[in-house]
Amino acid sequence: MGLKVLSALDTARTQWYHFKAIIIAGMGLFTDAYDLFCIPPIMRLLGRIYYQETKNPQDLRFQVPPAVVSIMVGMSLLGTVIGQLVFGRLGDLIGRRRVYGMSLMMMVLSAIGCGFSVCTKRGCVLASFGFFRFLLGVGIGGDYPLSATIMSEFANKKTRGSFIAAVFSMQGIGILASSMVTMIVCRIFEETSSSSSSSNNNGLKGGSATPEEADIAWRIIVMIGAIPAAMTYYWRMMMPETARYTALVEQNLVQAAKDMEKVLDVSMSQITEDGPLVQLPNNQTHQYPFFSKTFFRRHGRDLFACSAAWFLVDIVFYSSNLFQSHVYNNFLKPANEVSVFRDAYDVAKLQAIVAICSTIPGYWFTVYFIDRIGRVRIQLMGFLVMAIVYISIGIPYYSFWENHDHRKGFMVLYGLTFFFANFGPNTTTFIVPAELFPARFRSTCHGISGASGKVGAIVGLGFLWASHNKAEEGYPEGIGMIASLVIMGGVCLVGMVITYLFTVETNGRSLEENEIVNDELLGHDDDYNKAKCFVRWF
């Protein structure tokens, strides 16, 4: 490649710093998952606290109205879109390290702000909660492109996919942590609450009110999510800039070598150039501007492939998360028959079971296999299996799966969608954009791809409303679960087609080699698809 520092990065043995970087970079993804999956039980708590008695006939007792829930989720997703675009671009303009701490600090402060939420009146609490959720989304969005880019630029080419997947797998730990924290907090409050013994262990049963302590419980659950992220802030500030950014974008090879020596066990003789470097690698000397004709000619197809695949998988992935209310209702007692803390506890327990049995194994299957069988094959397989499962549970949904006797079978298939989303496109769409693009566009393009995904997640909110075949629980009549699940299966098939036609395999090559391969293929447009198929599989 002409740069010894880059060759040393590509061939460096796996070291302690790689694992340290996984933890540091993964804390943003941990916080993302924690704050997403603590929302269902928290909404149960908020419903019991602020919707005990309602004068508005459209408000359901003990339940936060669906419109409010959708706004809360949507505000976070909208913030994530903005954060991915803004911080992704800043990561390329002023450096990964300089903005890395900013996004994490925004996440920490916003999570704390969500817990305080200014006041105790319903309208004020919900407005404040939504505002801080938006800011939290901005911080989370900024963390996506920066974490993926930093990990890809520190990793060696042999295990790069596993390292980036390990960063992303911190989402699974965040999901489990949110459920465990919720269960522990609710259990403690249930045991210590004065109402637990005064209402025959049935909370609101018999007309007793929700205890005041419940308003403290949900705030504690939200704010605890900020602690792991805050603990890694110091280490993020101590991380040097990635050697690839320093060498290829700032063009400071001496500093790149010094930074690399600080964190990896390599000698200066391995990473110091023998003589003055006349020019950078050929693919880095073409200083075409971002979003120029040259950019789109070289990277337009890759950007489309990454953005479209991420958009499609997030439609179904976030829809599956939102459908949990349909699934969990078959396993939960009515809200007025259990205490407020037991209600939230039971929701968190079901989330933990799904995480342990399907979500987390899916992440770690990807960590193990990603560098063995490649990104494209895993993405194709994930989309295909998800499509089969959605159609299988969709077509006979009302005639078969709604039967009480078949609910366990439904849960197994439902869990498979999470397993093959994570051992599939939910993880690979995070990895591939961090490997395909040049160093000076890498964070930006990852941010654009991720933002497309979160737009898909916002679209997925529509399935929450469309999935009802009659007016119920505050939702208007929609197209029903059959049509919704079959459409989601169709979305997965479209994702499979886009992956096959447009996604280039990045396994086994350095980041710079990936760009050179793309440039060579695009130099012969007529042979692009044939050549790409060869590169993908071999």
Side-chain angles (χ1 to χ4, degrees), residues 401-428:
W401 294 117
E402 271 204 326
N403 188 312
H404 183 81
D405 295 334
H406 301 141
R407 63 180 185 175
K408 292 183 179 179
F410 181 85
M411 277 295 290
V412 171
L413 292 178
Y414 177 73
L416 280 179
T417 65
F418 286 101
F419 178 85
F420 282 100
N422 294 319
F423 183 35
N426 190 46
T427 304
T428 55

Side-chain angles (χ1 to χ4, degrees), residues 147-166:
S147 294
T149 299
I150 286 173
M151 196 67 246
S152 71
E153 293 181 344
F154 271 122
N156 62 59
K157 65 181 180 181
K158 184 178 180 181
T159 58
R160 184 180 61 238
S162 294
F163 286 156
I164 304 175

